[in-house]
Amino acid sequence: MRTFDSKNRIRHMVPRPLSLEMLTGLVALIAAGVLIWAMFSAPLSIPLVIAAGLIFTISVAIIIRLLLDPDSIRARQTDSMLQLSSLMVDLTSDGLDMEAAQRICQILLPSTQAIAVAITDRETILGYAGYMEAENPSGAKIRTQATHDVIAEGVPRAIYTRQDIGLPEGSKVIQAAIIIPLTLGREIFGTLKFYYRSARRITETQKSIAQGFGTLLSTQIAAAELEQQRDLATAMELKMLQNQINPHFLFNTINTIASLIRTDPAKARVLLRDFAVFYRSTLENSQDRIQLARELEQTQRYFSFEVARFGEDRLAMQVDLGPHATRIEEMLVPPFLLQPLVENAVKHAMPASGLLSVRITASVEDGDVLVNVADDGVGMDAETRDSMMHPKSDTGLGIAVKNVHDRMHGFYGESASMTVVSEPGEGTTVTLRFPDEANNL
C-alpha cells in the first residue's frame, strides 16, 4: 500500500530562510514597541515618538507592498506549484489508482480558488476532495454531462454556469468549473476537474494552473502505463521514453522558469509554452517515425531549456544541414535519435568553465545521409568510448548512445551505422548514417 506524508514533505522540501517580509515585520514590531514605550514614558520624547512612528509606518507600507507585489505573488505561487508537482510525480509512480487520485485531489485543493477537485476515468470518480466530498466517493459514477462532453471531445472547458456543468438540481453551491481531459497518447482516459463557487473565480491563472497539472498528470500516467505494459513494447523503447520523462530535467526546467518569472517574465512565458509543447511531443512521438525536421525542433527545444539554465556563455548550438537541407529535413526517422546525443554532450562534455558548442550538420554521401552531432567539450579516452557500445552498458553515458545505435540497426538494418570519434580535450563527434533505401535520396 502506498504511504505518503504530504504535509511533512512540503514542510521539509523548502528551507525557510529569513525573508525580506519577515525582516521588515520584525523592524515594524520593534518600532511599534519603541513608539508605545516613548508615548508612555516620562518625560515624553517627541522626537523619539516621531522617529518610531515613521519607521513603523514605512515598515508596514513595505510589508503591504511586498505582499501585494505581482512578482512576489508569482514567486510564492511558483514555489507552491513546484512542491505540488513533486508530490504528484511521487504519487503516480505506480499509476493512477483510486488511492493516488484521492491524495492528488487533497493536495491540489488548497492551491486553487476551487471548492472541490475531482479526478475521473471515463466512467467513474477516482478521487474527490472538497465540497460534497461524502456524496462523491471513489468508484461512484460520473454525474455531470460536461465531464462526459470533455471526455468525448478531448478539449479543455471552462464552464461558467451550473446548468452547463449538468449537476443535479440539489447542487446549488457549485456554479462554475474547469475540466481538463487526461490523455494517454491520443486517447482520453479521464478528466481533472476544478469546481468553483462563482464564475468570477475562474481567472487566466486558474486556467493555467489547471492545464499545467492536467499535462503533468497525463505525462506521468503515460510513463507508468508504458512501464506496466512492457510486453507491448521493447525494453529499449520504454527506457527511451523514461529518459525523456526525467524528473531531474523536469524540476530543473521548472526551477529555471520560476527564477525567470522574476527577472524576465517574457522569456519565462516562452519557455513555459515550449515546455508544454516539448512534453506533448515526447508522448506523441514515442511510437511513430517522424520527419527529421521535427526531431531537430524537439532537440533545439530541449537545448533552449539547458541554455536558460546554464546561460548563453556556457552553451551554444548551431545547425547546418547543407545544400540538401530540404530533402534531409523530410527524411523519416525514429524519434529521439538526436536529442539523447545532445543531452549527453550537455551532461558529460561541458568543461568546468567556458563555452560548450554543439553543432549538428548533415551531408549526402553516395545516396546515404550522414548526420553529425559534434561538440568541442572535454572528450573521452578510447576505453570510455568503446564501453558506450558494449551490450551490457545500461547506465549513465552508455544507455542513451546504445539505444540510438540499437534503434538505427532496428529500423534500417546493418547498412545503417553509428560511429563515435573522440579524444580527451578535443571534443566528440557522433555520426549517424542513414542508408539510401531508407530516405530515397
Side-chain angles (χ1 to χ4, degrees):
M1 176 178 291
R2 182 189 287 104
T3 58
F4 197 82
D5 187 349
S6 60
K7 292 183 179 179
N8 287 339
R9 174 67 181 276
I10 291 177
R11 184 162 58 244
H12 291 102
M13 279 179 64
V14 180
R16 298 301 302 272
L18 183 63
S19 65
L20 185 56
E21 292 96 326
M22 295 168 61
L23 182 61
T24 309
L26 181 61
V27 171
L29 185 62
I30 294 173
V34 172
L35 180 61
I36 294 172
W37 174 80
M39 292 178 64
F40 290 97
S41 64
L44 181 65
S45 177
I46 300 300
L48 186 59
V49 171
I50 294 173
L54 287 174
I55 294 174
F56 177 74
T57 302
I58 293 171
S59 298
V60 171
I62 291 174
I63 293 173
I64 293 173
R65 171 61 179 165
L66 288 172
L67 292 177
L68 297 181
D69 178 64
D71 284 341
S72 297
I73 294 172
R74 283 194 294 268
R76 287 191 289 269
Q77 289 175 338
T78 300
D79 288 340
S80 176
M81 294 305 104
L82 287 172
Q83 294 172 12
L84 289 173
S85 298
S86 175
L87 292 171
M88 288 175 63
V89 168
D90 286 338
L91 287 168
T92 55
S93 60
D94 296 328
L96 186 65
D97 56 19
M98 289 184 180
E99 181 184 356
Q102 183 63 29
R103 295 289 293 112
I104 290 171
C105 291
Q106 290 169 347
I107 65 173
L108 287 182
L109 181 61
S111 68
T112 73
Q113 297 294 319
I115 60 173
V117 177
I119 296 175
T120 75
D121 57 19
R122 295 183 65 88
E123 299 293 338
T124 61
I125 298 170
L126 298 179
Y128 189 105
Y131 176 72
M132 294 187 70
E133 183 172 334
E135 289 80 2
N136 294 276
S138 298
K141 292 293 184 182
I142 294 173
R143 300 194 298 166
T144 58
Q145 183 58 43
T147 304
H148 289 294
D149 292 342
V150 169
I151 291 172
E153 298 168 5
V155 179
R157 294 181 63 183
I159 306 167
Y160 298 95
T161 68
R162 180 173 60 84
Q163 292 76 14
D164 288 339
I165 297 174
L167 286 166
E169 286 301 319
S171 305
K172 296 183 178 180
V173 174
I174 295 175
Q175 296 290 329
I178 298 175
I179 305 179
I180 305 297
L182 300 178
T183 60
L184 184 60
R186 294 182 176 87
E187 299 294 325
I188 309 299
F189 72 84
T191 64
L192 173 63
K193 303 190 290 184
F194 297 84
Y195 290 123
Y196 300 87
R197 190 181 301 274
S198 167
R200 293 191 300 271
R201 298 287 188 178
I202 298 181
T203 63
E204 291 303 315
T205 297
Q206 291 296 302
K207 292 178 184 178
S208 298
I209 289 173
Q211 185 66 63
F213 281 125
T215 299
L216 177 60
L217 195 53
S218 293
T219 299
Q220 290 305 120
I221 297 308
E225 182 73 13
L226 286 174
E227 182 69 26
Q228 293 166 1
Q229 297 181 2
R230 188 175 294 271
D231 58 325
L232 301 180
T234 65
M236 176 182 62
E237 289 171 331
L238 285 171
K239 288 180 179 179
M240 174 269 296
L241 183 56
Q242 290 165 351
N243 283 341
Q244 306 315 307
I245 308 174
N246 186 320
H248 296 293
F249 172 66
L250 171 69
F251 295 135
N252 286 339
T253 303
I254 292 178
N255 275 317
T256 299
I257 295 172
S259 65
L260 286 172
I261 288 176
R262 296 185 181 184
T263 60
D264 194 343
K267 187 174 182 180
R269 285 194 295 271
V270 172
L271 283 176
L272 189 59
R273 184 172 58 250
D274 287 345
F275 196 51
V277 174
F278 177 85
Y279 267 86
R280 188 179 303 116
S281 298
T282 295
L283 297 179
E284 292 176 351
N285 295 344
S286 61
Q287 297 178 353
D288 304 321
R289 295 194 197 190
I290 61 174
Q291 288 187 336
L292 183 64
R294 286 183 60 190
E295 173 66 4
L296 283 169
E297 289 175 359
Q298 186 77 338
T299 301
Q300 289 172 303
R301 199 172 286 120
Y302 156 78
F303 198 80
S304 70
F305 304 141
E306 298 289 29
V307 171
R309 177 187 174 196
F310 291 103
E312 295 181 358
D313 59 337
R314 295 285 282 139
L315 286 172
M317 175 184 280
Q318 180 181 358
V319 178
D320 182 8
L321 302 185
H324 300 281
T326 301
R327 298 166 70 188
I328 291 173
E329 286 178 338
E330 294 175 353
M331 180 175 63
L332 295 179
V333 300
F336 309 119
L337 282 184
L338 301 183
Q339 182 194 324
L341 302 179
V342 173
E343 189 171 350
N344 261 355
V346 173
K347 287 183 177 179
H348 302 287
M350 187 183 295
S353 61
L355 179 69
L356 173 71
S357 296
V358 179
R359 190 175 183 213
I360 300 176
T361 60
S363 60
V364 179
E365 181 180 296
D366 298 329
D368 293 352
V369 172
L370 275 64
V371 178
N372 299 306
V373 179
D375 67 70
D376 59 359
V378 299
M380 67 188 85
D381 57 31
E383 182 179 357
T384 302
R385 183 184 66 237
D386 294 338
S387 69
M388 289 193 308
M389 306 307 300
H390 193 278
K392 293 185 179 180
S393 180
D394 59 359
T395 59
L397 182 64
I399 183 170
V401 176
K402 182 179 181 297
N403 280 347
V404 172
H405 174 269
D406 290 347
R407 284 189 292 132
M408 285 288 291
H409 280 283
F411 277 91
Y412 303 115
E414 294 301 318
S415 55
S417 65
M418 183 183 79
T419 58
V420 180
V421 176
S422 184
E423 293 290 339
E426 298 295 329
T428 301
T429 299
V430 180
T431 301
L432 304 179
R433 177 179 288 271
F434 300 87
D436 178 40
E437 57 270 24
N439 53 69
N440 297 318
L441 288 178

